[in-house]
Amino acid sequence: MSTTADAASKAVAVEPAPGSRKLSTAKALQEAIAQQMRADPSVFVMGEDVGPYGGIFSSTTGLIDEFGPERVLDTPISETAFIGLGIGAAVEGMRPVVELMFADFFGVCMDQIYNHMAKIHYESGGNVKVPMVLMTATGGGYSDGAQHSQTLWGTFAHLPGMKVVVPSTPYDAKGLMTAAIRSDDPVVFMFHKGVMGLGWMKKNPRSIGAVPEEAYEVPIGKARVAREGTDVTVVTVSLSVHHALDVAEKLEGEGVSVEVIDLRSLVPLDREAIVASVSKTGRLVVVDEDYESFGMTGEVIASVAERDPALLRHVSRVAVPDVPIPYARELEYAVLPTPARIEAAIREAVTG
């Protein structure tokens, strides 16, 4: 059995108070992966530019200096090949962390992801485990164009057999990555570029936060009440959590109390947390940087409607309309769930 299974820290660490040791989300991910690599020799990292370059969004910076090229493998540009290699290694008892540079690239390797990584455990009657983390960058806002700006977590969440994790804070990023590496299930770990805290991208003050130095897990499938409120519930993930909190702080001065639920994971989805919040507020706004149709927004609303539709005095969603993400900045920000769009939806919810 892997040494990670014997790790003493299985409970969620107490989140430090502001002013404690702080890391960016990128640094928190690096620390989580390094700690698990030190604890378990079966953990290794693989992907394009994960070695000396450190990942194009700094998810693996410094790992090759400590662990060398035998455990931090730079791969050719062949997603089907190296994801297939990761699946084979996981089936044989290793715990690979495989980086797919952009979520948008999943199309060229979807057979490996969904017909193998996600299904082997089921097809083997539960006898074969695939303890693999597929880590990938998501999100727009940086004029990366239609092929490098999607989130697509709703696509992965729609396909059974994989956990889908979407952190918004450094604390959660480290704890969820630790839990993902230790998990015996395949986990798709999706980080938004805008929450990484990178100096060369748009500054986001919420992407740097207090993180314990010790290893700890954040349970996969448990939402977080990022802000308590009584008038309206905003359910969201990733960078949109930051936007929703900014809007909630602004509206507090006008007497509008906004509760913000950070799902943290889409699979499993914490439906109980969603219903509990809406039971209190009676108003639901779902915010998602993924496409509006057939995605997370509809699933969150259904989670309430199927249990008690009478709870919903108001419901709306702020998402990307069903169009490719534009390259032009003005057009891109017209389709993204910006703070202005979130604020308008909340105002409509409390006045309608």
Side-chain angles (χ1 to χ4, degrees), residues 317-337:
R317 47 187 175 171
V318 180
V320 175
D322 301 326
V323 298
I325 308 296
Y327 170 79
R329 179 179 176 86
E330 292 80 2
L331 293 176
E332 182 179 24
Y333 276 82
V335 303
L336 292 175

Side-chain angles (χ1 to χ4, degrees), residues 134-189:
L134 180 64
M135 177 170 62
T136 188
T138 69
Y142 306 95
S143 293
D144 284 339
Q147 297 176 338
H148 297 75
S149 302
Q150 300 168 99
T151 60
L152 298 176
W153 40 62
T155 300
F156 287 94
H158 180 68
L159 304 171
M162 307 175 286
K163 294 177 179 175
V164 179
V165 171
V166 190
S168 67
T169 67
Y171 176 85
D172 283 349
K174 179 177 177 179
L176 287 167
M177 176 57 77
T178 301
I181 294 173
R182 292 174 176 176
S183 174
D184 286 335
D185 301 312
V187 179
V188 182
F189 191 101

Side-chain angles (χ1 to χ4, degrees), residues 75-100:
T75 65
I77 303 175
S78 180
E79 289 85 355
T80 297
F82 68 75
I83 290 175
L85 176 60
I87 294 166
V91 165
E92 291 299 317
M94 301 192 77
R95 293 182 176 268
V97 179
V98 183
E99 180 164 297
L100 176 65

Side-chain angles (χ1 to χ4, degrees), residues 3 63 67 84 100 151 175 214 247 266 277 326 328 337 339 342 344:
T3 56
L63 295 180
F67 300 103
L100 176 65
T151 60
E214 70 272 14
V247 172
L266 297 191
S277 181
I342 297 169

Side-chain angles (χ1 to χ4, degrees), residues 56-75:
I56 64 168
F57 299 108
S58 299
S59 55
T60 60
T61 299
L63 295 180
I64 196 167
D65 299 328
E66 179 175 354
F67 300 103
E70 291 187 354
R71 294 185 68 190
V72 183
L73 286 69
D74 266 333
T75 65

Side-chain angles (χ1 to χ4, degrees), residues 4 11 20 33 49 73 89 149 180 192-193 199 236 249 262 273 335 339 344:
T4 55
S20 303
I33 296 170
D49 291 328
L73 286 69
S149 302
H192 195 294
K193 308 159 201 171
T236 187
E249 290 179 358
D262 179 358
V335 303

Side-chain angles (χ1 to χ4, degrees), residues 85-276:
L85 176 60
I87 294 166
V91 165
E92 291 299 317
M94 301 192 77
R95 293 182 176 268
V97 179
V98 183
E99 180 164 297
L100 176 65
M101 188 179 286
F102 288 84
D104 314 67
F105 298 169
F106 83 97
V108 298
C109 49
M110 195 57 173
D111 183 60
Q112 290 291 350
I113 296 170
Y114 182 53
N115 276 326
H116 300 282
M117 186 183 86
K119 291 180 178 175
I120 285 175
H121 182 69
Y122 170 80
E123 292 178 333
S124 69
N127 292 301
V128 179
K129 297 184 172 100
V130 189
M132 171 177 164
V133 179
L134 180 64
M135 177 170 62
T136 188
T138 69
Y142 306 95
S143 293
D144 284 339
Q147 297 176 338
H148 297 75
S149 302
Q150 300 168 99
T151 60
L152 298 176
W153 40 62
T155 300
F156 287 94
H158 180 68
L159 304 171
M162 307 175 286
K163 294 177 179 175
V164 179
V165 171
V166 190
S168 67
T169 67
Y171 176 85
D172 283 349
K174 179 177 177 179
L176 287 167
M177 176 57 77
T178 301
I181 294 173
R182 292 174 176 176
S183 174
D184 286 335
D185 301 312
V187 179
V188 182
F189 191 101
M190 311 184 80
F191 61 82
H192 195 294
K193 308 159 201 171
V195 306
M196 294 294 276
L198 304 178
W200 54 272
M201 303 186 80
K202 184 179 179 181
K203 184 68 173 176
N204 188 325
R206 298 185 189 276
S207 62
I208 298 174
V211 178
E213 187 170 0
E214 70 272 14
Y216 61 91
E217 292 187 27
V218 170
I220 296 174
K222 293 295 183 183
R224 173 178 72 101
V225 180
R227 180 186 177 92
E228 293 188 353
T230 57
D231 293 331
V232 58
T233 296
V234 176
V235 176
T236 187
V237 291
S238 196
L239 182 62
S240 295
V241 174
H242 300 223
H243 294 333
L245 289 171
D246 290 340
V247 172
E249 290 179 358
K250 175 182 177 181
L251 294 179
E252 182 182 24
E254 301 179 23
V256 178
S257 178
V258 180
E259 181 147 297
V260 179
I261 303 296
D262 179 358
L263 291 174
R264 302 198 290 196
S265 306
L266 297 191
V267 181
L269 180 62
D270 193 348
R271 301 177 194 273
E272 290 73 21
I274 299 167
V275 173

